[in-house]
Amino acid sequence: MTAFSPVILPEEAPPEHAVHCERCELHRQRTRVIWGEGNPEAPVLVLLDNPGAREDKEGNPFVCGTRETLQMGAAAVGIDLSLLYVTYLLKCRPIRAYNKEAARAACSVHLREQLEGKRPKLLFILGNVAVQSFFQNPEAEVKHMRGRWHETGGFPVAVSYHPLAVRRRPVLFPHFVSDFRLVAERL
């Protein structure tokens, strides 16, 4: 693998209507809305379940383990980060228990808006939660869907393991890289 140093990707500002969204209970626990990060014009839209930690207790931005592993996968196959736009099913970082199904359903409006506005060349969906929600199939599993292309909503879609799962189980990293290679070859 090539030399790797994680970077903090620039965030895209959310549209005004999303900043004040109260469609689900997460609006009561959020500090802000995270619309997405990376290149908003990128050909690859990467979808994760939620934004996760982005700042330490003092408010200093950092690259969490999920985003670091995601960047490692891209670097391993030579995908420049400028070719990626990362967004989330949920636009707020959950910090305590919440109604997951209701929050995902409420935020699906925002994801549809992003897909319609950005029209990426392809989607790369990471983790069972994101795959099940996006494909609207609670039985969908990455381990059975990865390694090949799917078509939905007019988009070619590849799936892989969630970067945090890869981080916790390094034996998954070669599969993660293989799925990233599928994306690189399609570009």
Side-chain angles (χ1 to χ4, degrees):
M1 188 165 82
T2 60
F4 172 77
S5 180
V7 298
I8 296 172
L9 296 174
E11 286 186 25
E12 179 182 28
E16 192 63 27
H17 68 273
V19 171
H20 303 292
C21 179
E22 294 183 5
R23 297 179 59 89
C24 75
E25 66 186 279
L26 288 178
H27 80 275
R28 285 189 225 93
Q29 52 177 288
R30 73 173 175 231
T31 55
R32 62 194 176 97
V33 171
I34 309 295
W35 195 248
E37 62 187 281
N39 176 3
E41 306 294 320
V44 180
L45 185 139
V46 178
L47 181 64
L48 291 162
D49 51 350
N50 68 68
R54 313 179 77 69
E55 296 98 9
D56 64 17
K57 291 180 181 181
E58 288 77 40
N60 301 310
F62 72 97
V63 178
C64 68
T66 294
R67 292 178 2 235
E68 180 178 12
T69 304
L70 173 69
Q71 291 179 25
M72 287 173 65
V77 297
I79 293 180
D80 189 274
L81 293 179
S82 68
L83 300 175
L84 304 178
Y85 178 77
V86 181
T87 194
Y88 313 92
L89 292 174
L90 302 180
K91 304 304 182 192
C92 305
R93 177 179 178 238
I95 54 175
R96 55 185 176 274
Y98 64 101
N99 181 326
K100 292 175 174 61
E101 292 305 314
R104 289 179 194 134
C107 278
S108 69
V109 171
H110 298 308
L111 180 59
R112 279 194 305 273
E113 176 185 343
Q114 285 180 302
L115 291 173
E116 289 169 8
K118 294 186 181 316
R119 298 300 305 167
K121 182 176 177 182
L122 58 95
L123 307 180
F124 192 32
I125 304 176
L126 304 178
N128 281 334
V129 170
V131 167
Q132 290 165 0
S133 183
F134 187 82
F135 285 96
Q136 297 179 348
N137 178 355
E139 305 298 316
E141 291 187 357
V142 167
K143 68 182 177 182
H144 300 300
M145 295 177 69
R146 58 164 297 278
R148 65 186 186 280
W149 287 99
H150 306 270
E151 187 80 27
T152 187
F155 295 101
V157 180
V159 305
S160 192
Y161 297 104
H162 191 286
L164 192 54
V166 172
R167 192 171 186 84
R168 290 179 178 157
R169 296 180 53 212
V171 68
L172 295 177
F173 191 72
H175 300 294
F176 189 60
V177 169
S178 175
D179 297 332
F180 249 117
R181 189 167 289 109
L182 193 68
V183 170
E185 290 168 356
R186 185 93 179 222
L187 285 175

